[in-house]
Structures are given as C-alpha cells and as structure tokens.
C-alpha cells in the first residue's frame, strides 16, 4: 500500500496520497558554441604566453646563479655543472650582509614614515570638510603623473641644504614623501568604506576625534595600513638611482647600489655572483608577499560594513 499523509483539522480529516519520489535526473552539460570555445582557447594561450614571459627570466637567473661558469650566456638549456660557488663568493668578496642590513633598516623606517604621513592626510581628506579639499585631491593626482627621476636634482639640492646627504634619514624622507600621493588615494578610498556612523556614535558617547581614529578607524583599517607598510618596506630593495645620488659612503650602500658598484661595474663581471645577489634580494620580498596575500586582498577590497 502506498504511503499516505494524514492532515487533521478541527472540522475534517483528509488523506492525501503521497506521490512516489522520482529519481533525480542527471543534469546535462551545456554545450558551448564554437565562438565561446575559440575565445576560451585564445584566452588560455594568452595566459600561457604571459606566464612564460614572467617565469622564463626568473628561471634563467636561477640557473645562472647555480652555474659553475661566470659567463652571462649558457651554451646549453641547463648548466652542465651546478655549484654554490657564486653565493660563497658573494659573501666572501663583498659586503653583501652589510648592504642587506642597511636596506632592511631603510625599509623599516620608510614603512613607519609612510604610515605616519599617509594616515592623517587620508583621514582628513575622507572625513573632514574644509576649503580646498578637492584641490588637494587634484594635486595628489597630478603629482602621480610625473616620474621620480624628474626631481632627482631637487632632492639632492634640498637634502644638501638640510645637511642630510649620505644619510639614511635623507633616503627615508624622500621614500616616505614620494609615497604620499598614491598611498593617500588608496587609504582615503579605504576610509570611505568605513561607516561614519561608528565615529558619530563614539563622539556622542564622549570620545574625541583622536580616540575615534586610534580605537575605531585604525583597527578597521589594519589591512590597508599593512599594505602601505609593505609598499614602503619594499621601496629601497629595488631603488638604485636615488641611492646612487644621495649615498656615497660604501658602508651605507643599499642592496641595489652595493651590488652594482661592487659586482657589475668591474672590468671582469662575475655574472653568476650578480645573479645570486639578485635572487637573495628578491627572495624575502617574494616570501612576504606570499605570506601576506590576505592582507593585500583585504586592503584592496575595502572595509566590511
């Protein structure tokens, strides 16, 4: 006998015959039209080509660093002999460890300086209404259009007047100040996603503007603050021009400047050692970016309302 469902009401009792359960039909895969298949294939080909363009130079540098020969060119696709000789020569014949320490110091100071300059500037542009606010935003936008090399002479003259040539503090000032326009736009956009009602409620409860920034805004903006710190920390690792102009003491060289001056500018260049220095310079930043992927994504995505 088939199953039945009994419904009891105050006035009547009815029996509803239960229908047999039909087996679920398998979903048929939708066939893509030929045009969509062609677009998909072209997309994959383009992505593979882009990946090869990015990966092949890295593979070449790694192979060169572990190559026994010191030449720039490799006769075969893979070296015939591998060794750690380039890394050993790098630390024995140069002050690479000192350059590394100098770069980390400058990077840490730049990260702190960038946040201290960007945080109040972005907060003022996001939360406060004052005369000329839109003009400030336009100035920041225009400043990003000019390359940093245009101001190299001005940087030198200014730091010479302040007596900050050949010092880490001078480098930190330039790195931190040049990061303000772009980082301010990023931080302001993040602040705009944080509801103003949170601060208004805190002010009604007796909190000051400074307390709102420290206890409400900064905790919510930690992803963006971490992202700006990361950008500031990585700036000295890839800079050569500015360090070349402002730093003359060999004991204060950064990685890029020291590597070029001591290795690449020699009459007989040790390309294997130069490749080893490049790998060790890029490795920490690659690890940091991989470990902080969530911070970067959250920082670019905005605050959760």
């Amino acid at each position: 006998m088939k199953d039945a469902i009994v419904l009891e009401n105050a006035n009547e009792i009815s029996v509803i015959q239960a229908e047999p359960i039909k087996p679920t039909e398998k979903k048929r895969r939708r066939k893509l039209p030929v045009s969509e298949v062609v677009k998909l294939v072209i997309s994959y080909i383009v992505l593979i080509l882009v990946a090869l363009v990015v990966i092949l130079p890295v593979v070449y540098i790694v192979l060169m660093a572990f190559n026994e020969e010191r030449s720039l060119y490799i006769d075969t696709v893979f070296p015939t002999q591998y060794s750690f000789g380039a890394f050993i020569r790098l630390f024995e014949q140069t002050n690479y460890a000192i350059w590394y320490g100098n770069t980390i110091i400058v990077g840490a100071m730049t990260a702190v300086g960038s946040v201290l300059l960007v945080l109040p500037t972005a907060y003022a542009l996001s939360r406060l209404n004052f005369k000329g606010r839109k003009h400030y935003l336009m100035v920041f936008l225009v400043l990003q259009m000019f390359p940093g090399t245009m101001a190299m002479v001005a940087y030198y003259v200014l730091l010479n007047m302040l007596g900050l040539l050949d010092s880490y503090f001078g480098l930190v000032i330039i790195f931190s100040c040049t990061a303000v326009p772009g980082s301010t736009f990023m931080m302001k956009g993040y602040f705009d996603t944080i509801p103003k009602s949170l601060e208004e409620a805190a002010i009604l409860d007796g909190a000051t503007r400074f307390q709102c920034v420290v206890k409400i805004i900064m905790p919510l903006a930690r992803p963006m603050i971490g992202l700006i710190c990361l950008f500031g920390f990585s700036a000295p690792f890839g800079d050569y021009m500015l360090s070349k102009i402002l730093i003359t003491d060999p004991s204060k060289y950064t990685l890029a400047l020291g590597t070029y001056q001591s290795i690449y500018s020699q009459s007989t260049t040790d390309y294997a050692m130069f490749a080893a220095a490049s790998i060790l310079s890029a490795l920490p930043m690659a690890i940091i970016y991989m470990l902080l992927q969530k911070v970067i994504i959250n920082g670019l995505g905005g605050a959760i309302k």
Side-chain angles (χ1 to χ4, degrees):
M1 184 176 181
K2 295 182 179 180
D3 296 336
I5 300 175
V6 181
L7 300 178
E8 297 183 1
N9 294 329
N11 299 325
E12 60 180 1
I13 300 177
S14 60
V15 179
I16 301 177
Q17 194 75 14
E19 295 181 359
I21 300 175
K22 297 180 181 179
T24 56
E25 297 181 356
K26 293 182 179 180
K27 294 182 179 180
R28 297 180 180 179
R29 293 183 178 179
R30 184 174 63 89
K31 293 184 179 180
L32 295 176
V34 178
S35 60
E36 293 294 332
V37 174
V38 172
K39 290 180 181 179
L40 190 61
V41 171
I42 294 175
S43 300
Y44 276 108
I45 293 175
V46 172
L47 290 175
I48 292 173
L49 291 177
V50 172
L52 289 176
V53 171
V54 174
I55 294 174
L56 284 179
V58 177
V59 174
Y60 183 79
I61 292 295
V62 172
L63 294 177
M64 186 186 300
F66 289 97
N67 189 13
E68 182 68 26
E69 299 179 1
R70 305 182 184 185
S71 175
L72 178 63
Y73 301 101
I74 302 175
D75 297 334
T76 58
V77 178
F78 297 97
T80 55
Q81 294 181 349
Y82 294 89
S83 80
F84 290 91
F87 295 90
I88 297 173
R89 294 193 304 271
L90 180 64
F91 287 95
E92 288 181 349
Q93 300 178 12
T94 66
N95 296 323
Y96 191 78
I98 297 176
W99 305 336
Y100 223 112
N102 296 341
T103 307
I104 291 176
I105 292 173
V106 175
M109 295 172 64
T110 303
V112 175
S114 300
V115 172
L116 292 178
L117 292 175
V118 170
L119 189 61
T121 307
Y123 181 82
L125 293 173
S126 176
R127 289 294 193 263
L128 305 181
N129 292 321
F130 54 90
K131 188 176 181 180
R133 175 172 169 270
K134 294 183 179 179
H135 298 291
Y136 280 108
L137 292 173
M138 184 60 64
V139 169
F140 285 160
L141 182 62
V142 172
L143 288 176
Q144 296 181 76
M145 300 178 183
F146 297 98
T149 54
M150 292 182 60
M152 290 295 179
V153 177
Y155 293 154
Y156 182 87
V157 174
L158 181 62
L159 293 182
N160 187 29
M161 294 173 60
L162 297 175
L164 295 176
L165 285 178
D166 206 18
S167 67
Y168 296 149
F169 192 60
L171 274 178
V172 171
I173 290 177
I174 301 300
F175 283 137
S176 301
C177 292
T178 52
V180 169
S183 298
T184 298
F185 265 95
M186 294 170 55
M187 183 71 82
K188 177 191 176 298
Y190 196 92
F191 284 164
D192 290 341
T193 62
I194 300 176
K196 295 182 180 181
S197 58
L198 298 176
E199 294 177 82
E200 294 172 354
I203 292 174
L204 290 176
D205 290 338
T208 62
R209 180 73 69 173
F210 180 77
Q211 290 175 332
C212 291
V213 173
V214 174
K215 296 183 178 181
I216 298 177
I217 299 299
M218 291 184 63
L220 293 175
R222 279 182 296 182
M224 179 54 68
I225 293 175
L227 185 61
I228 291 177
C229 286
L230 184 59
F231 289 161
F233 182 77
S234 62
F237 280 84
D239 175 75
Y240 172 76
M241 290 293 296
L242 186 62
S243 301
K244 172 65 176 175
I245 294 174
L246 302 181
I247 301 296
T248 56
D249 187 357
S251 63
K252 297 180 180 180
Y253 280 173
T254 56
L255 276 175
L257 180 59
T259 302
Y260 182 84
Q261 293 292 108
S262 301
I263 300 175
Y264 195 77
S265 61
Q266 298 176 2
S267 57
T268 56
T269 304
D270 190 342
Y271 290 101
M273 188 164 61
F274 186 79
S278 302
I279 292 174
L280 293 179
S281 301
L283 189 60
M285 298 310 305
I287 294 175
I288 291 175
Y289 273 89
M290 291 176 63
L291 293 177
L292 299 180
Q293 285 185 9
K294 291 184 178 180
V295 174
I296 297 173
I297 295 173
N298 292 335
L300 297 176
I304 299 175
K305 295 186 179 181

